[in-house]
Amino acid sequence: MTTATAVGSRPEINPWVRFAVRRLSRLVVSVLALLSAAFLMIHLIPGDPVRSALGPAAPKSLVDAQRESLGLNDPLWEQYLHFLQHLFTGNLGTSITTGLPVSDVIRDRLPATVQLAVAAFLVAVLIALPVGLAMGVLTRAGRRPRAELGFTSTSVVLAAIPEFLLAVGLVYVFAVKLQWFPVAGRGNVASYVLPVLSLAIGPAAVLARICRVELLAVLQTDYLRTARAKRLPATAVYLRHALPNAVTATITLGGLLLGGMVAGTVLVENVFGWPGLGSTIVSSILAKDYPLVQGVVLVYGVGVLLVNLAVDVALALLDPRSTIRES
Amino acid sequence: MARRARWIAVLRTPVGAGAGVLLLAVLLLALFAPLLWSDQASAIDTEHLLEGTSSQHWLGTDSLGRDIFYRVLVASRTSIMLALLATALGVLAGLVLGTAPVLLGRRAGRLTTALVNIAVAFPGLLLALFFAVIFGVGAKGAVLAIGLAGAPAFARLTQTLVAGIAERDFVAAARIAGVGRFRILLRHILPNIAEPLVVNATIGAGGVLLAFAGLSFLGLGVQPPAYDWGRLMGESLNGIYVHPAAALAPGVAVVIAGLAFNLFGEAVAKGLGVPALVGPRLRTRTPETVPAAPVDDEAVLVVKDLRVSFPGPITPVRGVSFTIHKGEIVGVVGESGSGKSLTALAVAQLIEPPGQVEAAELSFLGAPLLGRLADRGSAATRRRLLGTSFAMVFQDPMTSFNPTKRIGVQLAEGAREHQGLSRRQAMARAVDRLRAVRVPAAGRRARQYPHEFSGGMRQRAMIGMGLMGAPALIVADEPTTALDVTVQRQVLRLLETIRETDDVAVLLISHDITVVAQVCDRVLVMYAGRIVEDLPASDLATGARHPYTRALLAAVPDLDTPLDEPLAVIPGRPVDPSAFPTGCAYRVRCEFVVESCSAKDPELVGADHRVACWNPQGRTVLGIESIRTGQR
């Protein structure tokens, strides 16, 4: 009887494959939840959304026609199926106020928002990582207590100012008083400076603080002591052993900030009259243009999920344990 | 009582007191401003429309000629009340969602947990906008929207807190006693998570305040004629060219109020948690004179009057002297807190600031280790000497390797640095060394990460790392404490083999006197930062003279130990290093105290067998024969 091989060895699944499967299935579940929430949103609105969109003065025939064209008279599950079906063909419905296809509006406005968010993210990371790491090294083990106090209090205050307030302040100082940059609108490079800064400064302050704390924690670890016991030069200890681990932990915690930055575009765009999705979502909520709201919410939601996915993948590449740890 | 004392302590710290006063001021303003200044805030002054700062209107007027300053003051109530309402709603909804796993049982609980996990991934503002669509534009809608948007985060927090409490013994006991789920939640769990929840809600209220301002700013929150800070900002944004104060003043108010909640919450969280340890600046003190010691050819390590101190001041190691010769295994034993590990770290030059190391002499292979070096060149020489000839093995193999680097790379690193090997040569040497410490399949293992190694394997690899150069001394700080007994023996035997084949000296730190007795040539017994006895290991069983050494030996159970009697222990507690008593530190626990014990700390005297005691005991200790005869 040679069943030993059949019984003894269970095929060993590559941890990367397992990670990919697990992470993708989580993405699928999240996307499904997002789709259902966006679909149900319209049905959870008290009263008749079409009536409230068109106003009390609109003739009943118009309301009925609009309801019919939106398919609101069908049974709920049928509407859900239609909704999903349309989504796969890229059909997000028609704006009630302008009559334009929602997908066209999104295609028109998405690039401005993505540019803003990506630029702000890069600026935030490029400020936060060097500043946070340098502060960590300089203030390790209670050195330079005054520098530490200054850094911590500055970053706390900067992080406490919401992006739209910061935007107003920046507009006042740099656009109204100094007139270095335009007050609003999207045009040349100069028009990007203030919106990007208002979006980046808060997260950068938080990220720099996290980064410093993480570095300090890494400096306390046993493996850093091991690195020192190898009598490596200080720069090698910091760059080779402390930095990668501090950055890994920073990304874990900073990932949430990134998602927040995507949402932050909504406020910043409204201050600067930025022609992106953020302005669209607010104006469409105010106009009760529900199909448009639904479409933009979906885009924002998917954006956040993709950002989270990117963070997880980056983590898995940087720290091989994280692929294992979850299981 | 204790809880109240801690809250008072929080209010005594500068940040806690400042934030507390600020928060109180903000709350009082919200309470009284509308009563006092409602009229001024709504008075329409058609003579002064959209005017700047004047003696009549401090911050100018809006488009209807209403005074901005009073409007900002009066808006505090609406802003703060709505923010608190939304926070309360968020905490409540979060509490319901977060305790669902306890209340509803496994399946329903898992479903809510999954939903919360999905929702938490989305930023609060996006959730708030989503709910704002459903609940409609306006103050009520915004409270519901922001409250529910905050719920997932609070649910996650509640889940974490509940999970921590639910595993405690008293909850398990209540469950076994048949107490209902709801009752367990109400009586046992909620009271224990209330404090962190309230603290986090306070911090959260600051964020909610800002979020609410954001929503109102966008025109989705408070609707005219009512107004809050966000609304005031939104209305005056277009006029920022002519009238910046109108847009900036409410913004400043929002930030101050938000900070008040935030800082107070943080201060409380910090105060109720672990006290922060902020050490003063490091000072490296160099000994005034390094006396030239008579050269001892065989001495690998010479330590004279070693002291380790920390700000406080605490001196956990005070005046330790010993010498380790070539190929000798010296054990250091003592209770935790006796200073044995610090001695090892100090000898290895691994004490981190603010810790401070002083010694009359500390030399390794004849080279002094303490003292500032004249130039970079000799610093590099010292580093190379330590990097190639001085090996360390740490207590916990699970945490002593860098988790993000392959084992082989971590071994090779030092050799590339100090021996000038190429990447490939260093890697080959690493594989060879792993083989030398009997790691099976060394070539494959070298390419693996630490988490793929077992504890025993990691400790072997750590020893292998020390063998990358040509070590003269291995300092092993409790190398087997984290390992199980069989693995422990293998690691000890490995150290012994290395000593025999390469004539390497070993300094073995352990709290386990039987381990030390098995493998060492000489034993140093430490108590309260000093060596109290230094004797050949062969004398340990029969010749220990210090009462503390004898008590340690008597506490070791063996096969003859009667099972129906309690195990022997050393009465009393180890001494607190921040308050050493005068005289001998052991006298409070010692049964052989004489008069001189309390007067002066005894010196460590003797030649081959040194004892620091005013009343050393005779040469027989009962019941410890087995330590050496049975196990060596």
Side-chain angles (χ1 to χ4, degrees), chain B residues 59-378:
Chain B
L59 291 174
T61 55
D62 68 1
S63 54
L64 287 176
R66 294 175 296 199
D67 188 285
I68 304 268
F69 178 67
Y70 286 116
R71 285 178 79 74
V72 170
L73 288 184
V74 172
S76 60
R77 178 182 284 186
T78 316
S79 303
I80 285 167
M81 207 180 62
L82 293 178
L84 290 181
L85 268 179
T87 311
L89 180 67
V91 173
L92 208 68
L95 211 53
V96 170
L97 285 174
T99 54
V102 180
L103 281 183
L104 301 180
R106 190 166 297 166
R107 197 170 296 172
R110 211 175 266 172
L111 188 69
T112 42
T113 310
L115 280 179
V116 165
N117 283 344
I118 290 175
V120 159
F122 293 98
L125 181 68
L126 215 54
L127 293 178
L129 285 176
F130 174 79
F131 285 118
V133 174
I134 296 176
F135 296 117
V137 168
K140 201 175 82 190
V143 167
L144 288 170
I146 291 182
L148 291 183
F154 276 109
R156 173 62 81 72
L157 177 71
T158 311
Q159 276 171 5
T160 317
L161 293 172
V162 167
I165 296 289
E167 281 170 15
R168 299 256 193 93
D169 290 346
F170 62 87
V171 176
R175 199 174 290 136
I176 291 164
V179 180
R181 284 171 179 165
F182 192 69
R183 223 176 134 75
I184 288 182
L185 184 69
L186 221 57
R187 295 285 296 275
H188 296 283
I189 294 181
L190 283 187
N192 281 298
I193 64 171
E195 198 167 76
L197 261 185
V198 169
V199 169
N200 277 286
T202 312
I203 299 174
V208 166
L209 193 76
L210 300 179
F212 216 106
L215 226 51
S216 283
F217 173 78
L218 292 175
L220 302 175
V222 174
Q223 297 299 312
Y227 55 96
D228 67 346
W229 287 327
R231 179 97 220 158
L232 288 179
M233 280 192 70
E235 282 173 356
S236 44
L237 181 65
N238 289 334
I240 194 162
Y241 261 119
V242 281
H243 196 6
L248 296 177
V252 171
V254 172
V255 171
I256 290 176
L259 269 178
F261 280 103
N262 238 320
L263 287 179
F264 187 69
E266 301 270 6
V268 171
K270 207 171 179 183
L272 299 186
V274 192
L277 213 159
V278 183
R281 266 201 72 151
L282 126 110
R283 284 196 313 265
T284 7
R285 198 184 297 169
T286 47
E288 300 296 305
T289 49
V290 182
V295 182
D296 183 349
D297 277 347
E298 293 284 283
V300 174
L301 182 75
V302 179
V303 180
K304 280 187 186 148
D305 199 19
L306 177 79
R307 291 168 179 277
V308 180
S309 50
F310 289 90
I314 307 171
T315 311
V317 177
R318 14 173 228 156
V320 164
S321 305
F322 61 95
T323 304
I324 300 180
H325 296 97
K326 207 172 162 191
E328 193 181 26
I329 302 192
V330 175
V332 181
V333 284
E335 293 165 307
S336 25
S338 60
K340 54 189 190 309
S341 284
L342 281 175
T343 303
L345 288 178
V347 160
Q349 296 288 291
L350 290 173
I351 297 279
E352 279 289 287
Q356 199 176 310
V357 180
E358 292 170 76
E361 183 183 352
L362 178 58
S363 58
F364 174 63
L365 295 176
L369 294 185
L370 278 185
R372 199 171 282 277
L373 286 165
D375 55 297
R376 280 177 154 242
S378 39

Side-chain angles (χ1 to χ4, degrees), chain A:
Chain A
M1 291 287 266
T2 51
T3 50
T5 47
V7 177
S9 68
R10 225 173 56 200
E12 200 172 292
I13 305 169
N14 184 328
W16 288 101
V17 173
R18 222 167 35 201
F19 167 75
V21 168
R22 195 175 46 228
R23 193 59 189 80
L24 284 178
S25 53
R26 205 163 87 204
L27 181 71
V28 168
V29 171
S30 299
V31 168
L32 278 179
L34 176 69
L35 292 180
S36 314
F39 169 74
L40 283 175
M41 182 170 73
I42 288 187
H43 298 273
L44 288 172
I45 297 165
D48 181 354
V50 175
R51 167 58 72 189
S52 65
L54 297 178
K60 188 169 184 309
S61 57
L62 186 62
V63 172
D64 286 345
Q66 186 67 262
R67 279 189 71 88
E68 194 56 47
S69 78
L70 288 172
L72 288 176
N73 296 327
D74 300 337
L76 201 59
W77 62 270
E78 211 168 286
Q79 289 186 45
Y80 190 46
L81 282 185
H82 275 140
F83 172 72
L84 292 182
Q85 225 166 34
H86 285 153
L87 264 184
F88 276 105
T89 55
N91 179 357
L92 289 166
T94 314
S95 162
I96 295 180
T97 41
T98 60
L100 290 170
V102 171
S103 52
D104 284 3
V105 180
I106 289 173
R107 197 172 305 132
D108 202 33
R109 300 215 147 209
L110 185 61
T113 300
V114 170
Q115 277 173 1
L116 187 60
V118 169
F121 168 66
L122 291 179
V123 168
V125 169
L126 289 180
I127 296 175
L129 288 191
V131 170
L133 292 173
M135 285 311 294
V137 171
L138 291 176
T139 63
R140 66 188 188 276
R143 293 174 202 208
R144 300 186 179 78
R146 247 173 267 154
E148 201 238 292
L149 187 69
F151 169 75
T152 310
S153 41
T154 312
S155 59
V156 165
V157 171
L158 283 182
I161 302 177
E163 51 277 78
F164 68 99
L165 270 177
L166 199 62
V168 174
L170 288 176
V171 165
Y172 173 65
V173 175
F174 293 103
V176 176
K177 279 276 161 186
L178 299 173
Q179 307 208 334
W180 289 356
F181 305 107
V183 175
R186 171 173 174 245
N188 56 2
V189 177
S191 70
Y192 278 74
V193 174
L194 293 184
V196 166
L197 278 184
S198 3
L199 201 53
I201 285 179
V206 178
L207 209 58
R209 222 169 64 188
I210 295 174
C211 196
R212 174 179 162 268
V213 171
E214 286 305 327
L215 186 73
L216 290 182
V218 171
L219 290 179
Q220 299 280 325
T221 55
D222 287 351
Y223 60 82
L224 219 77
R225 192 178 56 190
T226 308
R228 278 196 296 266
K230 277 183 251 181
R231 318 296 165 180
L232 302 174
T235 44
V237 172
Y238 288 132
L239 291 181
R240 245 182 267 155
H241 289 274
L243 188 77
N245 290 291
V247 169
T248 311
T250 307
I251 291 177
T252 317
L253 296 166
L256 278 177
L257 283 179
L258 245 178
M261 269 168 102
V262 172
T265 56
V266 175
L267 285 157
V268 170
E269 284 186 14
N270 276 280
V271 175
F272 290 98
W274 197 260
L277 285 179
S279 318
T280 311
I281 193 172
V282 173
S283 59
S284 57
I285 290 175
L286 287 172
K288 298 187 172 152
D289 188 346
Y290 295 121
L292 188 53
V293 172
Q294 199 177 41
V296 180
V297 162
L298 269 180
V299 172
Y300 265 105
V302 168
V304 169
L305 289 178
L306 289 181
V307 165
N308 290 347
L309 179 71
V311 168
D312 281 359
V313 170
L315 265 181
L317 292 176
L318 276 170
D319 183 357
R321 276 174 314 166
S322 70
T323 53
I324 306 289
R325 205 185 288 139
E326 284 178 78
S327 53

Side-chain angles (χ1 to χ4, degrees), chain B residues 523-575:
Chain B
V523 177
L524 310 175
V525 181
M526 282 190 74
Y527 188 80
R530 313 195 67 157
I531 296 178
V532 294
E533 187 160 14
D534 167 7
L535 71 168
S538 53
D539 274 7
L540 198 57
T542 51
R545 305 201 65 203
H546 196 284
Y548 177 63
T549 316
R550 295 165 71 95
L552 274 184
L553 290 165
V556 176
D558 61 27
L559 286 177
D560 298 331
T561 308
L563 292 174
D564 46 359
E565 283 174 24
L567 287 173
V569 290
I570 304 179
R573 305 171 137 268
V575 200

